[in-house]
Amino acid sequence: MNQNNNQNNQGGNKNNRKNTLGILSIVLWAVILTAAMQLLVSALRSDKTDEIPYSTFRQWVMEDKVATVKMTSSQFTFTLVEDEKAAQEAQETAQQKNPFFPVGKTPVKQYVTAPLNDDDIIPLMEEHGVKEFGTDLVDQSTYVWSFILSQILPIVLMVAAMIFLFRFMSSKMGGMGGVGGVGKANAKVYMEKKTGVTFADVAGQDEAKESLEEIIDFLHNPGKYTEIGAKLPKGALLVGSPGTGKTLLAKAVAGEANVPFFSISGSDFVEMFVGVGASRVRDLFKEAAKVAPCIIFIDEIDTIGKSRDNRMGGNDEREQTLNQLLAELDGFDPTKGIIVLAATNRPEVLDKALLRPGRFDRRITVDRPNLAGRLATLQVHTRNIRLAEDVDLKKIAQATAGCVGADLANLVNEAALRAVRHGRKAVNQQDLLSSFELVIAGAEKKGTVLTEKEKRLIAYHEVGHALVAAKQKDDVMPVSKITIVPHVQGALGYTLHLPEEEKFLMTKEDLYSEIRTLLGGRCAEELVFDTKTSGASNDIERATELARKLVAMFGMSDKFGAMGLTTVQNQYLDASYGLTCAQATAAQLDEEVRKIIDSCHKEARGILEENRADLDAVAAYLLEKETITGQEMMAILKGDDPATADNYGANPS
């Protein structure tokens, strides 16, 4: 205890000495600048006066040349008779030319000389007609004010100016904090009442919450773990796609544990000055130790935690910051209750030393929610939303497969805004469905005017997708809605597929069925109009990507078998991948992909040829209504009247 106090006192003394030295350096520079200014003023004054030897001054007095003399203990300032006459003549000439010329504005040249101990000078000046001589009557306080104005005030002004300059540079150069404040952490400290978030506000992440509940229990009951000799991990790394709720989970842990919450972004550590980031890391852990138990949350830790390789050139500032973070993770005592949480969506770029046991050795995946998780998330976000009686959140959860928590929050908010725009007091099911379509396709583009031929092309294209999906075995992707109304994100129409059940595995036949469905639009264009349009570009791109994954990533082709040809690079961002095979193999891969595309294209066209009458009937009904539901399409395929089918959601209002 005493040792800790001594260390704190030593640290405080060091900071005080640094501050004192900083202030002294400012004062010293101010004195130097003040002296330089006074020398400059003296030099300017010397240009207006001539310095004369005392012997010359005495000689001029004896020759009746001196007109006035102002006497001080340090110098005699005098003027000559001929200079005063010249000034008087110049004054009169100026007044003749300009009657309003001010009196006494013509300057008279002055001379100065250093006085000697000469008792005869005053009688000599009286004898030779010096009309004015003497000294000004000055009050004693005048000397004090003169000293303050000439010596003290310039120093004070210089100190103030330099302090302002330092603060201005601090604000422009990374928050250096002024003298002695370089590198101070900008962590925002949230106490339990300020977070306002608990596990009740986080839905769809039950597995992640279970992993974090142990941390909360340790903060509440540390003795239960120390008695048995257990040590809680110092750090936990939250990994997941953007919008899955990593930051929200960290705040919920602090809210559940009722402990202080330090939140800082990884980018706040990195500055242009080498060593500033490391200083901020030290300051952050020092402040956290004062209020332990507590939680430190570092968002986007990949900013400072990237692997320390030199392939792309080193960054001394970032590497020093990472080294300091590693040292702090090793240095603090976990029994004090300091828990470090970090979040990233690029775990593959993190330094291995950061992830080893004893540092961020617990990895918690915050994944996209499943059907039950999406339903629970929607229930959380609609707690404060007034819902109509027809709202079925389970259907919305089924429609939003693959969405993260942020997407669902945005969906609910857009639905509430739509209800207000239409003058309703509650959000209905149509508002939720329309807001979902707004997220995936954008708002309707009401100003777009399509020709009749374009409308027919788009109608057959969209019905081609829907009919191929409906006629395939097991109804892999049931159709929910078909529309030919243009939308702002470039879609002139779209077919909305809503899965009846959520699948976590895709079989080879499932993948082939999806490729056929994607190519159904192009097949309908070729079959009915004997042409090809640019509207299938996105379908072709997605079908080709799916076929490439089928061969290179899933190992489902006959040619390559279970051979992996790619590696995933950004799993939680864009899920991009790179080829890990030779160029000759890549060429064979492209050929295998082309064979799959050609096979699925032929099969999709065969489905449409066999059901040409159904294709024409559904397309005609779509041209009439512009937007129809999957139930209406299925009624036409069964030979029933589509008007009697459920058209809920077909025409937003």
Side-chain angles (χ1 to χ4, degrees):
M1 187 75 162
N2 293 331
Q3 185 178 359
N4 292 335
N5 291 335
N6 292 334
Q7 290 177 352
N8 292 335
N9 292 334
Q10 290 175 0
N13 293 334
K14 288 181 180 179
N15 291 333
N16 292 334
R17 284 197 295 270
K18 288 181 180 179
N19 292 334
T20 303
L21 290 175
I23 295 173
L24 289 177
S25 64
I26 290 179
V27 173
L28 179 60
W29 277 107
V31 171
I32 293 174
L33 292 176
T34 302
M37 289 184 62
Q38 289 185 344
L39 290 175
L40 179 62
V41 171
S42 299
L44 293 175
R45 288 179 177 175
S46 63
D47 293 338
K48 299 180 181 179
T49 59
D50 291 342
E51 187 173 348
I52 303 299
Y54 186 79
S55 59
T56 303
F57 164 69
R58 186 179 177 87
Q59 181 66 30
W60 285 354
V61 172
M62 295 174 62
E63 294 175 358
D64 299 334
K65 293 182 178 181
V66 178
T68 62
V69 180
K70 181 179 289 186
M71 307 168 67
T72 64
S73 59
S74 60
Q75 68 179 23
F76 288 177
T77 304
F78 61 95
T79 60
L80 300 181
V81 174
E82 58 182 11
D83 291 335
E84 288 200 349
K85 289 182 179 180
Q88 181 65 30
E89 292 176 357
Q91 176 79 23
E92 292 175 355
T93 303
Q95 287 182 336
Q96 289 176 358
K97 294 180 179 180
N98 182 11
F100 299 101
F101 187 82
V103 178
K105 287 296 182 180
T106 304
V108 181
K109 187 175 182 180
Q110 295 181 337
Y111 302 85
V112 296
T113 185
L116 298 179
N117 189 12
D118 186 1
D119 296 334
D120 297 333
I121 189 63
I122 294 179
L124 188 63
M125 287 190 292
E126 291 178 345
E127 180 181 350
H128 289 277
V130 177
K131 59 183 180 181
E132 291 183 12
F133 62 88
T135 182
D136 295 333
L137 181 62
V138 180
D139 187 24
Q140 188 67 27
S141 61
T142 305
Y143 290 105
V144 178
W145 284 110
S146 176
F147 176 77
I148 292 175
L149 294 176
S150 62
Q151 303 294 331
I152 304 299
L153 183 60
I155 295 178
V156 173
L157 293 177
M158 285 294 177
V159 170
M162 294 194 69
I163 290 176
F164 174 78
L165 179 62
F166 268 82
R167 289 183 176 178
F168 178 77
M169 292 176 62
S170 157
S171 63
K172 295 297 182 182
M173 303 174 75
M176 293 170 61
V179 178
V182 177
K184 189 170 181 62
N186 293 326
K188 296 179 180 178
V189 182
Y190 293 91
M191 306 303 287
E192 177 267 334
K193 293 182 180 179
K194 292 187 179 179
T195 58
V197 180
T198 63
F199 278 164
D201 302 305
V202 183
Q205 301 295 342
D206 296 336
E207 295 80 6
K209 287 195 287 187
E210 286 180 7
S211 300
L212 293 170
E213 281 174 354
E214 188 178 33
I215 295 177
I216 298 171
D217 187 45
F218 174 82
L219 292 172
H220 282 161
N221 307 296
K224 184 171 63 174
Y225 294 87
T226 56
E227 285 179 2
I228 200 173
K231 294 182 180 179
L232 195 72
K234 293 182 179 180
L237 185 66
L238 304 176
V239 178
S241 302
T244 50
K246 299 182 292 295
T247 304
L248 189 66
L249 267 173
K251 289 185 177 182
V253 172
E256 292 284 343
N258 297 330
V259 296
F261 179 65
F262 289 76
S263 175
I264 191 168
S265 175
S267 60
D268 289 337
F269 290 113
V270 181
E271 295 290 349
M272 65 179 291
F273 300 104
V274 177
V276 174
S279 175
R280 289 182 174 176
V281 172
R282 289 192 296 269
D283 181 73
L284 176 62
F285 279 85
K286 180 181 176 182
E287 294 297 323
K290 295 179 181 178
V291 295
C294 64
I295 290 175
I296 297 175
F297 176 64
I298 305 176
D299 198 9
E300 304 296 346
I301 195 173
D302 52 272
T303 307
I304 59 172
K306 289 182 181 178
S307 179
R308 291 168 293 180
D309 57 52
N310 293 320
R311 288 178 297 177
M312 301 300 292
N315 185 323
D316 289 339
E317 163 62 5
R318 183 179 57 79
E319 290 186 3
Q320 285 196 20
T321 305
L322 175 57
N323 292 336
Q324 186 62 44
L325 178 60
L326 297 176
E328 293 292 341
L329 287 172
D330 288 338
F332 73 84
D333 184 3
T335 60
K336 291 183 178 180
I338 299 178
I339 305 297
V340 183
L341 300 178
T344 182
N345 43 41
R346 296 200 301 165
E348 65 276 357
V349 305
L350 294 179
D351 196 281
K352 296 186 183 301
L354 196 64
L355 304 177
R356 73 157 176 82
R359 290 169 180 165
F360 287 106
D361 49 1
R362 176 166 293 191
R363 179 165 169 169
I364 300 173
T365 301
V366 187
D367 210 348
R368 296 176 182 271
N370 54 19
L371 177 60
R374 292 194 300 275
L375 178 58
T377 304
L378 287 169
Q379 290 171 347
V380 168
H381 290 305
T382 55
R383 284 185 305 192
N384 299 322
I385 302 294
R386 185 179 298 172
L387 300 177
E389 294 181 356
D390 65 335
V391 170
D392 187 353
L393 293 180
K394 186 175 181 180
K395 288 186 177 180
I396 305 300
Q398 289 176 337
T400 53
C403 291
V404 296
D407 297 329
L408 299 177
N410 185 38
L411 184 150
V412 172
N413 186 60
E414 289 290 344
L417 294 175
R418 185 179 187 275
V420 173
R421 285 197 301 269
H422 288 78
R424 288 191 289 271
K425 298 296 184 179
V427 175
N428 60 25
Q429 186 79 348
Q430 185 61 58
D431 293 326
L432 292 168
L433 290 172
S434 298
S435 64
F436 170 64
E437 295 173 21
L438 178 67
V439 172
I440 63 172
E444 292 184 3
K445 203 171 183 179
K446 299 179 180 179
T448 302
V449 179
L450 300 175
T451 63
E452 290 300 321
K453 182 179 180 180
E454 287 175 331
K455 284 185 178 180
R456 293 188 71 240
L457 271 167
I458 297 171
Y460 273 97
H461 179 101
E462 299 302 335
V463 174
H465 288 305
L467 193 59
V468 171
K471 292 296 182 179
Q472 289 187 92
K473 186 178 180 180
D474 296 333
D475 277 344
V476 176
M477 294 285 282
V479 177
S480 174
K481 181 177 180 179
I482 312 171
T483 181
I484 57 173
V485 177
H487 287 69
V488 295
Q489 292 186 5
L492 297 176
Y494 65 87
T495 302
L496 184 61
H497 303 275
L498 298 183
E500 292 180 345
E501 60 182 7
E502 192 164 21
K503 287 190 175 183
F504 298 97
L505 290 175
M506 296 285 286
T507 65
K508 182 178 179 180
E509 183 55 35
D510 291 340
L511 295 172
Y512 272 86
S513 297
E514 188 170 349
I515 295 174
R516 295 188 200 103
T517 301
L518 289 170
L519 297 175
R522 168 57 62 88
C523 293
E525 295 172 357
E526 295 172 345
L527 177 63
V528 178
F529 301 96
D530 193 22
T531 187
K532 301 175 182 178
T533 69
S534 60
S537 60
N538 183 254
D539 301 329
I540 294 172
E541 179 183 353
R542 292 166 57 194
T544 304
E545 183 73 12
L546 197 57
R548 188 176 297 275
K549 287 183 177 180
L550 187 148
V551 176
M553 189 177 297
F554 303 147
M556 294 181 179
S557 71
D558 296 332
K559 183 177 183 62
F560 293 102
M563 179 180 177
L565 304 177
T566 62
T567 178
V568 178
Q569 296 175 344
N570 295 316
Q571 178 181 358
Y572 297 104
L573 290 177
D574 55 0
S576 61
Y577 59 88
L579 293 177
T580 57
C581 59
Q583 292 184 356
T585 307
Q588 296 177 11
L589 167 63
D590 291 338
E591 183 64 23
E592 190 70 12
V593 170
R594 188 187 66 80
K595 289 181 180 179
I596 294 175
I597 296 294
D598 290 345
S599 174
C600 291
H601 181 274
K602 183 178 179 180
E603 293 169 358
R605 177 157 181 162
I607 292 174
L608 295 180
E609 288 176 347
E610 293 175 4
N611 299 275
R612 175 62 189 270
D614 291 336
L615 177 65
D616 293 335
V618 177
Y621 188 71
L622 178 61
L623 283 169
E624 178 185 352
K625 298 292 186 178
E626 290 191 342
T627 301
I628 64 174
T629 64
Q631 290 88 343
E632 290 176 302
M633 186 192 78
M634 296 305 296
I636 295 175
L637 298 182
K638 294 176 182 178
D640 299 333
D641 184 6
T644 61
D646 180 16
N647 65 349
Y648 185 75
N651 297 303
S653 59

